[in-house]
Amino acid sequence: MKKLVKIFCGSVLFLGVSAFAYTAEEFKGQISFNGSSSLAPVISKISTNFVEKNGTWDKVNKDFPNEKIEIFVSSAGSGAGVKSVIEGVSDFGMVARQVKDSEKAKFKNYKEFVVASDALTISVNNENPILKYQKDISSETLKKIFSGEYKYWSDVDNRLEKKEIVVITRDLGGGAHEVFQTSIMGDTDVKMDAIQAPSMGALATKIVENKYAIGYASFGVYNLNKDKITAFTVDGVAPTEENILSGAYKIQRPLLFIKDGELTPAQKSFVDYIFSEEGVKAVEDGGYIPVK
């Protein structure tokens, strides 16, 4: 991190003129995020709002230089987000799970900012025939479906036709899958021929496109598509905001971003904006439950 130099600008008698300012040469105005595909659209939206509102850093803070605000957001998964910060490739890593102690140990000065609470909904196409018979699914049944022990919907309910169950997951190295593995699968592996979607949006699309598909769509993505997909209650508990916040719904996770070291002044300004009223609204618009 570059050292920021404060320069004495003049007497405090000059009203309206800041006592300190940052040189354009040493001011770090670019900010980069990498990681979770669930959090990336939210941070990207907040970044767009921040840039459109201010344009240059001196509009954010008069002590900052007249430099264009540039915030880069890329999506490569939670694990990649953590790695990118450890390796100094990104300023912030976006993560859609708890950060492991073994990962934290690789940071010199670990910082964590929780943006939202999220859950993985067990969702199917609204046209899936199983919805005629049941709206709840047990953890044990889920384990059998995702492991491949149950191959057909008739294995789940013998009143259904023998139609193959199409299992949709996120990439098996991603944060969402880790949460599902811990919450539902335990030591049992997801079947090898499960379709791995590149993002939560793609996962929901595959469910919309196939009425025999089932997958774990994030609460945010489910809320944006609930006119096309239906979320089961799991072990009798619905994925509602109340149940997620109380911990009653078991398949849940935090959405957060992490950093190694203290925030620069520019980074602090943007992080403050993320947790401002405008930032919180963007989180809600993304379908997630903001941390207030």
Side-chain angles (χ1 to χ4, degrees):
M1 183 186 304
K2 293 181 178 179
K3 181 181 179 182
L4 295 176
V5 179
K6 296 180 179 179
I7 299 177
F8 183 69
C9 289
S11 167
V12 294
L13 295 176
F14 288 93
L15 298 178
V17 176
S18 173
F20 296 97
Y22 297 94
T23 63
E25 291 75 16
E26 295 189 324
F27 180 82
K28 187 179 187 302
Q30 290 186 348
I31 300 175
S32 59
F33 287 79
N34 188 17
S36 164
S37 65
S38 296
L39 186 55
V42 174
I43 296 298
S44 181
K45 175 60 177 173
I46 295 174
S47 301
T48 299
N49 293 345
F50 186 73
V51 171
E52 289 179 350
K53 179 180 180 179
N54 299 290
T56 54
W57 282 108
D58 61 323
K59 299 296 192 303
V60 178
N61 184 325
K62 64 183 184 302
D63 291 337
F64 293 168
N66 177 240
E67 182 179 318
K68 183 180 177 181
I69 299 172
E70 294 181 300
I71 302 173
F72 303 96
V73 181
S74 58
S75 167
S78 296
V82 174
K83 184 179 179 183
S84 70
V85 177
I86 293 172
E87 295 180 346
V89 177
S90 299
D91 297 310
F92 295 96
M94 299 177 290
V95 186
R97 57 169 169 77
Q98 296 287 354
V99 178
K100 303 168 189 170
D101 289 341
S102 59
E103 294 172 326
K104 293 179 181 178
K106 297 177 182 177
F107 286 67
K108 295 177 182 176
N109 186 9
Y110 178 81
K111 302 288 184 185
E112 179 177 294
F113 305 85
V114 180
V115 178
S117 296
D118 185 32
L120 300 181
T121 69
I122 305 302
S123 294
V124 295
N125 188 297
N126 283 350
E127 301 300 317
N128 191 312
I130 194 173
L131 296 175
K132 296 177 184 176
Y133 303 108
Q134 63 184 72
K135 299 291 179 63
D136 181 72
I137 198 161
S138 70
S139 294
E140 192 59 31
T141 298
L142 281 175
K143 185 183 292 186
K144 291 179 178 178
I145 289 174
F146 280 78
S147 68
E149 181 177 341
Y150 282 174
K151 299 182 184 304
Y152 304 99
W153 282 105
S154 53
D155 294 332
V156 179
D157 190 310
N158 59 17
R159 291 169 291 184
L160 297 172
E161 288 184 83
K162 189 177 180 180
K163 296 290 185 181
E164 184 177 357
I165 301 172
V166 179
V167 173
I168 315 291
T169 70
R170 286 284 284 109
D171 62 277
L172 300 186
H177 183 71
E178 284 190 39
V179 172
F180 185 75
Q181 186 73 39
T182 301
S183 303
I184 298 296
M185 302 302 290
D187 295 330
T188 303
D189 291 332
V190 169
K191 65 178 188 174
M192 295 301 293
D193 61 349
I195 297 173
Q196 297 182 41
S199 68
M200 272 299 174
L203 184 151
T205 297
K206 290 184 181 300
I207 296 173
V208 170
E209 292 174 345
N210 189 330
K211 70 176 184 179
Y212 296 109
I214 185 170
Y216 47 71
S218 72
F219 186 67
V221 167
Y222 165 72
N223 280 324
L224 297 176
N225 292 276
K226 60 185 178 182
D227 59 327
K228 306 180 190 74
I229 62 179
T230 296
F232 285 103
T233 61
V234 176
D235 298 331
V237 181
T240 62
E241 180 172 337
E242 179 182 9
N243 288 336
I244 294 168
L245 290 176
S246 70
Y249 186 78
K250 64 191 295 185
I251 321 173
Q252 62 173 278
R253 59 183 182 166
L255 297 183
L256 54 92
F257 57 90
I258 60 176
K259 177 176 170 57
D260 196 359
E262 301 297 331
L263 297 172
T264 68
Q267 290 169 354
K268 183 178 185 309
S269 294
F270 182 59
V271 169
D272 287 345
Y273 183 76
I274 291 174
F275 291 99
S276 71
E277 187 174 329
E278 293 168 83
V280 167
K281 183 178 184 307
V283 173
E284 291 174 331
D285 289 346
Y288 296 107
I289 306 168
V291 173
K292 300 176 181 176

